[in-house]
Structures are given as C-alpha cells and as structure tokens.
Amino acid sequence: MRALTGLAARDPRVTFLTGDLGFSFVEAFAARFPDQYVNIGVAEQNMAGVAAGLALAGRVVFTYSIGNFPTLRCLEQVRNDICYHRLNVKIVAVGGGYAYGALGASHHATEDLAVMRALPEMTVVAPGDPVEAELATRAIAAHVGPCYLRLAKSGEPIVHAAPPDFAIGRAITIRPGRDCTLISTGAMLPAAAAAAAELGRAHRVDARVVSMHTVAPLDAAAVRAACDTAAIVTIEEHSATGGLGSAVAEVLAGLRGHPPLHRVALPAAFAPAAGSQAYLLERAGLTTRAIVDGVAALLAPAGRGASAADPA
Amino acid sequence: MASAPPGCAGRADAYRAFARQIRAESLRMVHRARSSHIGGALSVADIVAVLYGGVLRHDPRRPDWPERDRFFLSKGHACVAVYAALALRGFFPVEELATFYQDGSRLAGHITAGVPGVEASTGSLGHGLAIACGVALGLHRDRSAARVFAVLSDGECDEGSTWEAALFAPHHRLDNLVAIVDYNKIQSMGTVKETLDLEPFAEKWRAFGWNVREIDGHDVSAIEAALSAPPEGGRPTCAIAHTVKGRGVSFMEGRLLWHYRPPSDEELVRALEEIAGA
C-alpha cells in the first residue's frame, strides 16, 4: 500500500479499485486520492470490466481483493476485457496459497498461478518477501499491459537484507550454489533459503536458491542455468498442477538432457481440514524439512548429498 | 465528423437511407460468409444508423480522437451492422466488408478491436456495460464532454454482470452513459418471455436508478430524440428500444431461425429487394 500511495501521488492515472475489501488500510488512500479510488462493491465481474474501461480511458488501474475473488470469480472478464485488449490493469490478490488457512478452501488461492499464467498477455508475479513485494508493485505499475500480483498476507519474514535489482521476468539468485538449484516462487522463499542453509550444514550440499518472482513470462535462462547443477527443485505454495513446477518442467522438456526435477507443491486437492497456514503447509509437506529430504533423495544416486548414508 | 442534413424530416430520411445501406451490407456479409446472427443485426440496424449517422461525435480519419464519443456493441454477435456502418462512414474501405468471417480477416464474427472505430471486442454476453461504465467513469473524472453508448441485447440481461454494472452507473452518477437495449424479444432458444422473462423491464432499470426512455427502436426520430436528449438528474440513461428481430425482411421478422441461418442466394435477392423498396 505504501508503494501504491507513492505511485498514486506521482501519477494521477494510477487508480485503485477494491471489491469491498481492505478495511483499515485503504481508507487513507481513498481520502487522499478520491479521484483515483473506487470501492466497486462486492461485484468482481464488474470490477474487472470497469477496470478495463478505465484503462481504455487512459488510466493505470489496480484491482484489489483477496484469494480467488479478483481472478477466478471474474476470469472471463480478465481474459476477454483485460488481456484480449492488452490493457493496463494490475490485478492484486492478497492471500496466496493457504494464507487464509482456517477460512476454508473457498479462500485458498491454490490454482491462481496456473490459471493466470495460461492467459495470453498476462504477466504473473509472486514476490518472495516484503522487499520484493514493494519492488514488484512499482514494476507492474511501470509495465505496460495486464499483470497479476500474488501477495501473501503480511508480516512475512524478510529475505533480502538490501533491495535487490528487480526486473519483471528476471529471477533473482538469492544464494549461489553448485550442487542443486532450489527455485521458489511467492512466500516459500524463506523456506527455500532455510532449506539451503540446512542442506549445507547437514548434508554438505551446496544449494543455489533462486527467487522466481515472475512465473509468466518465466525466466527460462535461469532454468537453463540451473542445469549446471545436479538437481532442480521447485517450491511453491500452489497446486502441483500448472504452477511454477509445471512452468519449469515446460522449459526442461525442451532441453536435450537435463537434471532431475523435484516439485515441492500442494497436492491438486482441496485442503482436507480447517487449520492455520502453518498446519496446512505441514500436512501438505511444504516445509523446510520436506524440501531438504526431497533434495537429499534426489542427489542420493549420485552419491553426493546422501553419501554418509550410502554403504558404497 | 458526422454531418446530417438540416431539418428533422431531412435527417430522418438520411437515417433511413443509411439504415437501408447497413441492412443491405449486413445481409451480403452474412450470405457470403454463410455465418449467422442476421436477425439481431437487422433489429439493431436503425439504432446503429442513428448513432453513426448523427448522434455520435466521431471522426473516421481519427478513430482515436480523444474527444470522440465512445460506442460499445455489447451484443457483439450483431457486428455486421456496425462493421457496415463504420465502413460506410469511411473508417475503412467498404470493399473490406467482403472479407468478413474469412481466413485472415480482421472482421471476426463478433466485434473485434483493431478494426478502425471499434473500441472493444465483445462476444461473450454481459461484458459491454461494465466496460462502458469504466470508460464513462474515467471520462467523467477527467471532465471530458464525451459520451459513452452501449448497445445490449435483451438476452444478455440474463447475465448477472449486466446488473452489477446497472447498479454501478447510477451510484456513480454517470450521466454521460447511455445504455440501449435492443429489445427484440427473442433470444437463442426462444422468446425472452418463455426463457427468462425480463418484465417489468423498464421498471427494473428505473428501480436501479436509471433515467429510462422506452422507444420504438425502428423509429429513427424517436431513437435520435432519446439518444441526444441531455441527461436528467445526474443519472445514466437507458433507452429500451422495442424492436423486431429480422426487421426489414418479411420472411425473417420475428423468427428465431434467423439467429442461426444465413440466407440462400435466392433469399438474399428477395431480402435486398425488400430492403431497397422499404
């Protein structure tokens, strides 16, 4: 919101639409920029259509809601009205993955990356920490064309000690490494970084960590570069169907020989119970431990990561 | 810029002549393409003729002129009528109409942006009014004098999204917005009444806060009066245009079949004769 306030102050075209959500943090924006703000009401189809119209009238429009409401609820408007016309509409969803865990599966955004990246013209960004989120907000505002920004909830740990060089479509290497590559998107970045530290400590595996904050267009060069390592692991708080892991697999499928790919993702299923984000992630196997074990198993045949346990 | 001859009677004659041209070109396009939806193109032809013949401020040489009025055909399947009007007004060559529906053409079977003069692509129903609302809101806040027109089908008033937009426009006092419903009373599978009755229709729009004008959608003077009247009370305008599907061709009028069928060679000749003699 701070990034958006700065953008709106500098550029009167920047306009913020909400689907009646954002209590206690959009009010200040609304009061300061009445000509750049509309609460559309609980009407996401209309929000997407109105956003398209405002963009046709020259504005840079942000639509905001939570979970699947600004994406799946109005998917055809996003496709036909926004993407088909390649309009300057930036769709922002808070609550990626299981962020609204206990609210139930209606509020779990677990297929959004797959669906949004399937749309022509759509840029899909899932920043890895609050630092990337702020940089991504500025980047999508400057980018011409439709964007989807998938945010976590707030209060996520900061991974970047200093603001990195951020560009849409260019992955950020958080940590160099020669043995394997952990490619993470969205709020799994801290888990990926922790897994890399653990791999080094307990398994003497030198893991590279890449923040793939842009899922579409994917940084294929970063995926090809990962082929220098013995294994690739994708990590995402998203269904195993169609998200980051699938996107990386699409790049690898076009290569002649590549390291094995292990996808750490949610099962393509609805959450089996109510529960906090941490509980549901644990149940789905999206933990630092699971990432470490996955990498160790992948590297075991090569006799590197699991050498201590290997009788040969 | 639109240049209508002076005098009401003269203007009405010019609109009627333009509507005859639009109908004839629409019939030729659908016949040549073996495509469909001629019934809904004929029902909206007089409305399109009045819009492009006089009401809309536009400049065919500058389709992106910032001060232009905006037009959205939410019932995108009736595109032949608008393609014909745009070509006849000089937005693109009339000869290009012959490419409608053909491989490689920019004239697709639902109205498509990129064609000079077309503001937005539609085709899926229930999208146009929301887009028009967004444009109207943007122009309103930019203090533009341009107006925004959207033509809806009656069938797409089944869509909930149409009513989301219908709630939105009066709330935001979009008096620069005019929705026109081509109320030809027939939708894809039968009559509106038997499919999903819209009545009391005018009362619905009125209750949502629109300034409603019910008109005969084939009376060019009534259409012109309804669409050019200044807005009242800061409200958007909804013109409910009572029309006849297939209007102008006796054997197509009021018949569902012509939502789907193109005319045969012989039917085209008869249809064009009827249009020319109207």
Side-chain angles (χ1 to χ4, degrees), chain B residues 237-276:
Chain B
T237 295
C238 176
I240 296 178
H242 293 277
T243 58
V244 175
K245 201 149 183 165
R247 169 76 176 205
V249 179
S250 59
F251 57 90
M252 294 182 177
E253 287 190 359
R255 295 190 56 203
L256 176 62
L257 177 68
W258 299 98
H259 194 75
Y260 302 101
R261 242 197 75 186
S264 66
D265 294 353
E266 182 251 343
E267 285 164 342
L268 176 69
V269 173
R270 276 170 53 207
L272 291 175
E273 280 170 6
E274 284 194 26
I275 299 295

Side-chain angles (χ1 to χ4, degrees), chain B residues 180-197:
Chain B
I180 305 151
V181 183
D182 178 12
Y183 195 10
N184 62 31
K185 325 283 190 301
I186 296 180
Q187 54 191 98
S188 282
M189 298 283 284
T191 64
V192 169
K193 194 155 206 63
E194 68 198 12
T195 307
L196 193 56
D197 196 3

Side-chain angles (χ1 to χ4, degrees), chain A residues 15 34-40 42-47 49-50 52-54 56-57 59 73 76-77 80-81 84-85, chain B residues 70 72 112-113 119-121 124-127 130-131 133-135 137-139 141-143 160-161 164-165 168 172:
Chain A
T15 303
D35 266 0
Q36 294 164 259
Y37 171 82
V38 185
N39 180 355
I40 294 280
V42 189
E44 294 80 8
Q45 294 181 82
N46 198 48
M47 179 160 73
V50 166
L54 282 166
L56 281 173
R59 294 193 176 227
R73 177 61 195 245
E76 199 189 57
Q77 279 81 5
N80 291 8
D81 303 350
Y84 190 18
H85 298 97
Chain B
R70 269 65 160 185
F72 296 91
T112 300
E119 302 282 353
S121 306
S124 177
L125 295 174
H127 286 239
I131 299 174
C133 280
V135 173
L137 180 67
L139 293 171
R141 289 191 171 180
D142 291 343
R143 284 140 195 88
S161 53
E164 290 183 13
F168 180 87
H172 291 279

Side-chain angles (χ1 to χ4, degrees), chain A residues 13-309:
Chain A
R13 297 175 308 150
V14 171
T15 303
F16 183 81
L17 310 185
T18 173
D20 202 30
L21 285 166
F23 178 73
S24 83
F25 75 91
V26 300
E27 288 81 354
F29 183 97
R32 185 167 162 200
F33 307 104
D35 266 0
Q36 294 164 259
Y37 171 82
V38 185
N39 180 355
I40 294 280
V42 189
E44 294 80 8
Q45 294 181 82
N46 198 48
M47 179 160 73
V50 166
L54 282 166
L56 281 173
R59 294 193 176 227
V60 179
V61 187
F62 284 74
T63 64
Y64 171 83
S65 188
I66 69 167
N68 299 311
F69 306 153
T71 51
L72 305 194
R73 177 61 195 245
C74 47
L75 180 56
E76 199 189 57
Q77 279 81 5
V78 172
R79 178 186 184 270
N80 291 8
D81 303 350
I82 296 170
C83 292
Y84 190 18
H85 298 97
R86 204 168 169 265
L87 291 174
N88 243 335
V89 177
K90 322 299 172 184
I91 299 162
V92 181
V94 162
Y98 285 151
Y100 289 109
L103 292 185
S106 66
H107 281 55
H108 298 165
T110 44
E111 304 83 35
D112 56 329
L113 298 177
V115 174
M116 288 294 107
R117 90 178 176 92
L119 298 177
E121 304 293 346
M122 182 63 88
T123 293
V124 178
V125 182
D129 78 342
V131 176
E132 286 190 16
E134 184 157 349
L135 294 169
T137 304
R138 291 206 197 98
I140 62 170
H143 179 84
V144 177
C147 297
Y148 171 53
L149 178 65
R150 182 210 228 211
L151 297 175
K153 228 163 113 185
S154 74
E156 280 73 25
I158 288 176
V159 175
H160 294 281
D165 185 15
F166 187 97
I168 287 170
R170 204 173 68 220
I172 300 171
T173 301
I174 303 288
R175 180 187 198 279
R178 289 161 307 166
D179 295 338
C180 69
T181 307
L182 310 184
I183 304 177
S184 150
T185 198
M188 291 309 292
L189 186 60
E198 175 69 12
L199 282 163
R201 201 161 44 233
H203 299 270
R204 274 178 287 150
V205 169
D206 186 19
R208 183 184 306 170
V209 178
V210 172
S211 175
M212 192 66 86
H213 50 71
T214 307
V215 178
L218 193 78
D219 186 348
V223 176
R224 283 194 298 270
C227 293
D228 297 345
T229 62
I232 300 175
V233 178
T234 56
I235 307 158
E236 61 194 310
E237 191 174 340
H238 182 275
S239 166
T241 301
L244 173 70
S246 300
V248 169
E250 287 161 16
V251 174
L252 295 179
L255 301 177
R256 207 182 285 275
H258 57 77
L261 168 68
H262 177 62
R263 294 179 299 146
V264 178
L266 305 176
F270 294 107
S276 68
Q277 185 175 25
Y279 169 82
L280 292 173
L281 287 175
E282 174 88 36
R283 251 186 104 148
L286 247 76
T287 58
T288 301
R289 175 85 262 140
I291 299 166
V292 169
D293 291 347
V295 173
L298 211 54
L299 292 177
R304 215 177 340 190
S307 55

